[in-house]
Amino acid sequence: MNLDQETLRKIVTTDLTETLIKVGLIAFLAYVCVRVFAPFSNLVILGVILAISIYPLYQGLVRRMGGKRGLSATVLVLALLLLLGVPMVILGSSFASQISEVHQQFEKGSFTVPAPSPKVAEWPLVGERLHTAWSEAANNLPAYLEKNAEIIRGYTRKALAMAANAAGAVLMFLAAIVVAGILMVYAEAGSRTVERILIRLTSPTEGPSLLKLSVATVRSVATGVVGVAFIQALLLGMGFLLAGIPAAGVFAAITMLLGILQLPALIISLPAIGYLWWAEDGSSTGMKVVFTIYFLIAGMADNVLKPLLLGRGVDAPMLVILIGAIGGMVTGGILGLFVGAVLLAVAYKLFMEWVDSRSLDTVVPAAPAEPIDTDTAH
């Protein structure tokens, strides 16, 4: 059937208009869904990460409790809230109060560094140099603060904002544990749904493999890197609080950051031991010995936790994890430190999987060698 140009133009115009309307409606629907989901995105993402990380522990608990998934999830969530939530609340409040106190002292102009005790100079190897540097800092700090007041004020405001977000981050983490418990109960149905989505986006063979890759990456990074640093920070932070070491919450946060950077926590625990024996706070020698042993064990706990939690290792390069952790902390605070490392590692693994699969598809097989005609050769 032959169509004139006018009729053909009307058909094309009608199809184009309908297509644009459909695309516009889909874009509007996607925009509305994103706006509705945005306030809960951090909570859901963190809940999914926690659910994937502790799911093997949940499966073992389900087997022990006779297959009761709901009861197992409830017990596990309550245990995590007790073991992790209580120390997080204590250290979080300590961190916020200490940062706020420093900011107030700087605003009032009363921030000072106390002069070192003469006993510091008697410490072996570093005592004399440390005493000299400490004394110079104590003597010259007021002039330095006055000279760089505006710059330092900007940093203290950022630190104060981070401290203000500490309470919200702790509550978010506790809520994410509850969300993780709910997700684990429906993990099988959720896994099938995600697998169907990935199959629809890729292929029946690539979809399941991408799901397994994502789960393995999340579990290895969240438990083997961030999880180890988090547990070690809680152990040392609670020890600092019980031992009466100043700025325990701040040192706990620094310990977690050092753990993600793959630096030993002894960098924090050894100076804490030195302060413990130097400070004249009336503590008995027996208590100092107990805390010294505890700080040494907690400072080296990563040597036991990493093989226990890391499994077969983290395939993502450590540089990717570090960038994700630091970038996440800058953009999302303390929780961003956790989520950023995991998400960037997953994105890297998925991208490299796509690169490798496309590279294999484009490899051109070598042409077979042509047989030699012996008759013509002679």
Side-chain angles (χ1 to χ4, degrees):
M1 183 171 85
N2 296 327
L3 297 176
D4 55 14
Q5 292 185 353
E6 184 65 23
T7 304
L8 184 61
R9 186 184 65 78
K10 290 181 179 180
I11 294 175
V12 172
T13 303
T14 303
D15 292 342
L16 180 60
T17 303
E18 291 181 356
T19 302
L20 291 176
I21 292 174
K22 292 178 181 179
V23 171
L25 290 175
I26 293 174
F28 176 74
L29 181 61
Y31 172 76
V32 172
C33 291
V34 169
R35 287 292 301 271
V36 172
F37 179 72
F40 308 97
S41 58
N42 291 334
L43 176 62
V44 174
I45 292 173
L46 185 57
V48 170
I49 292 174
L50 291 177
I52 293 174
S53 303
I54 62 179
Y55 190 70
L57 180 62
Y58 169 74
Q59 286 179 312
L61 189 60
V62 169
R63 288 192 294 268
R64 290 178 177 272
M65 300 188 70
K68 298 179 180 178
R69 301 180 63 86
L71 181 60
S72 301
T74 303
V75 171
L76 184 57
V77 167
L78 292 177
L80 290 176
L81 290 176
L82 180 63
L83 295 176
L84 300 181
V86 173
M88 281 190 65
V89 170
I90 296 174
L91 291 175
S93 60
S94 174
F95 175 82
S97 62
Q98 288 155 2
I99 296 295
S100 177
E101 182 180 353
V102 170
H103 177 75
Q104 291 177 1
Q105 289 179 355
F106 178 78
E107 290 294 331
K108 294 178 181 178
S110 59
F111 182 78
T112 58
V113 174
S117 170
K119 293 183 179 180
V120 176
E122 301 174 2
W123 290 1
L125 299 178
V126 299
E128 193 170 331
R129 295 181 180 178
L130 181 61
H131 185 274
T132 302
W134 193 340
S135 300
E136 291 179 356
N139 295 329
N140 300 330
L141 184 62
Y144 178 81
L145 293 178
E146 185 178 355
K147 182 178 179 181
N148 301 276
E150 290 301 323
I151 298 176
I152 298 176
R153 185 173 285 110
Y155 285 114
T156 57
R157 288 173 180 171
K158 291 180 180 180
L160 185 63
M162 184 179 296
N165 293 332
V170 171
L171 293 177
M172 179 76 75
F173 192 88
L174 299 181
I177 293 177
V178 178
V179 172
I182 298 172
L183 293 175
M184 286 187 295
V185 176
Y186 303 98
E188 295 181 359
S191 177
R192 288 194 297 267
T193 302
V194 174
E195 185 175 350
R196 288 169 53 198
I197 294 173
L198 291 176
I199 289 174
R200 181 66 180 85
L201 294 175
T202 56
S203 67
T205 56
E206 292 183 0
S209 64
L210 288 178
L211 178 60
K212 292 180 181 178
L213 178 65
S214 302
V215 170
T217 305
V218 169
R219 191 166 292 157
S220 61
V221 175
T223 58
V225 179
V226 184
V228 171
F230 178 73
I231 294 173
Q232 202 168 16
L234 288 183
L235 291 175
L236 283 175
M238 291 303 298
F240 294 156
L241 275 177
L242 295 176
I245 294 178
V250 176
F251 285 126
I254 295 174
T255 301
M256 183 174 177
L257 181 59
L258 290 177
I260 295 177
L261 295 175
Q262 299 299 292
L263 296 175
L266 290 174
I267 297 176
I268 301 297
S269 62
L270 290 180
I273 293 173
Y275 175 83
L276 186 68
W277 287 94
W278 164 71
E280 299 177 355
D281 55 358
S283 299
S284 64
T285 303
M287 290 302 299
K288 291 182 179 180
V289 171
V290 170
F291 280 117
T292 298
I293 297 174
Y294 177 82
F295 289 157
L296 288 175
I297 295 175
M300 296 184 293
D302 56 330
N303 296 320
V304 178
L305 293 173
K306 284 180 181 178
L308 186 64
L309 298 178
L310 197 56
R312 284 184 281 177
V314 181
D315 293 332
M318 193 54 60
L319 179 61
V320 173
I321 298 174
L322 298 182
I323 293 174
I326 297 174
M329 183 179 65
V330 172
T331 57
I334 297 177
L335 288 182
L337 186 73
F338 186 90
V339 176
V342 176
L343 291 184
L344 195 61
V346 172
Y348 171 83
K349 290 297 296 181
L350 293 179
F351 176 73
M352 293 308 299
E353 181 73 10
W354 175 79
V355 170
D356 294 338
S357 64
R358 297 303 174 186
S359 299
L360 293 175
D361 293 341
T362 56
V363 171
V364 179
E370 295 183 1
I372 300 176
D373 191 347
T374 56
D375 295 336
T376 58
H378 289 293

